[in-house]
Amino acid sequence: MTYLLDTYNILHAAIPMGGAMANLTVRTLCQWITSSPRRIKAVLVLDGRAKPDEPMANEVPEVELVYAGAGVSADKVIGQLVEWAGSKKKVTVVTNDRAVALHARKHFANAMSSEAFLELLLGAEQAQRRALRAKLPGKKTSGTSSPGETQHWLKEFGLNVPPANTTPRPSGEEREMTDEEIERLMGGG
């Protein structure tokens, strides 16, 4: 599947989505596409000519950048690319422009909203994060620090240290560590 992206339309659609999307640029869009585990084949179609803050064509070889040039709209270029496509059913146009989407469907290509495409990218990124997180060892999710640990860290940060409960416990029962023991364990003494 090849995605023809109405790039500036996607960037504008990203702003109200907030979060990481709010400051989406052509460069970050390219990075998201190339890092997606979905292996998205994308052609970014842009109005005008390349701007200084946008990636050069050879900078992101996995993503094709097509500039419409002077006096031609990206919408027109997208329409031509759809018409020239050999297998139109394997083409998806990504835009919120109804006329561009209608033109794509009229020529038997698929159309997808800009938000749906961004969610596809974001969903892939979140799935990748979940997979990485699953490989990490579990974190401590319950329990509290002992009073000795609390006293140590309060003292370490120069906060008021409440008096320690120094009542001895019966043998076999958990006992609190002293500041000295904690410092020794932490490599301080």
Side-chain angles (χ1 to χ4, degrees):
M1 177 72 62
T2 299
Y3 291 87
L4 297 177
L5 308 183
D6 188 352
T7 308
Y8 293 134
N9 184 282
I10 292 170
L11 299 183
H12 290 293
I15 295 168
M17 293 178 77
M21 301 285 186
N23 297 317
L24 192 65
T25 64
V26 174
R27 185 175 303 282
T28 54
L29 180 59
C30 288
Q31 290 168 348
W32 282 23
I33 291 167
T34 57
S35 67
S36 173
R38 292 184 181 265
R39 304 282 185 242
I40 294 172
K41 182 177 182 202
V43 178
L44 278 68
V45 184
L46 303 103
D47 290 307
R49 300 189 194 291
K51 289 151 191 69
D53 62 334
E54 295 174 350
M56 305 280 286
N58 60 354
E59 203 175 322
V60 192
E62 303 90 351
V63 177
E64 191 172 344
L65 298 169
V66 176
Y67 287 91
V72 180
S73 71
D75 298 351
K76 183 171 178 114
V77 172
I78 291 170
Q80 290 172 339
L81 291 171
V82 167
E83 291 169 17
W84 296 340
S87 182
K88 293 171 178 52
K89 291 186 180 199
K90 291 186 179 181
V91 173
T92 298
V93 173
V94 180
T95 186
N96 285 348
D97 186 315
R98 289 183 186 192
V100 175
L102 182 62
H103 183 268
R105 289 186 182 112
K106 187 172 147 184
H107 287 86
F108 304 102
N110 302 297
M112 168 187 271
S113 74
S114 296
E115 292 83 1
F117 181 76
L118 291 169
E119 287 173 8
L120 177 99
L121 282 179
L122 188 61
E125 181 183 317
Q126 288 174 344
Q128 192 174 26
R129 283 184 188 164
R130 278 192 296 272
L132 288 173
R133 225 179 288 129
K135 291 179 184 178
L136 296 174
K139 294 181 180 177
K140 182 176 177 180
T141 58
S142 64
T144 58
S145 61
S146 71
E149 290 172 310
T150 303
Q151 287 177 351
H152 167 77
W153 288 111
L154 287 171
K155 183 178 171 185
E156 189 73 24
F157 291 111
L159 302 171
N160 285 336
V161 180
N165 181 1
T166 55
T167 310
R169 294 181 183 224
S171 63
E173 210 176 293
E174 185 181 323
R175 70 173 183 82
E176 295 174 14
M177 295 179 78
T178 65
D179 284 343
E180 292 79 26
E181 290 173 318
I182 292 172
E183 283 186 42
R184 184 176 46 77
L185 287 173
M186 302 299 285

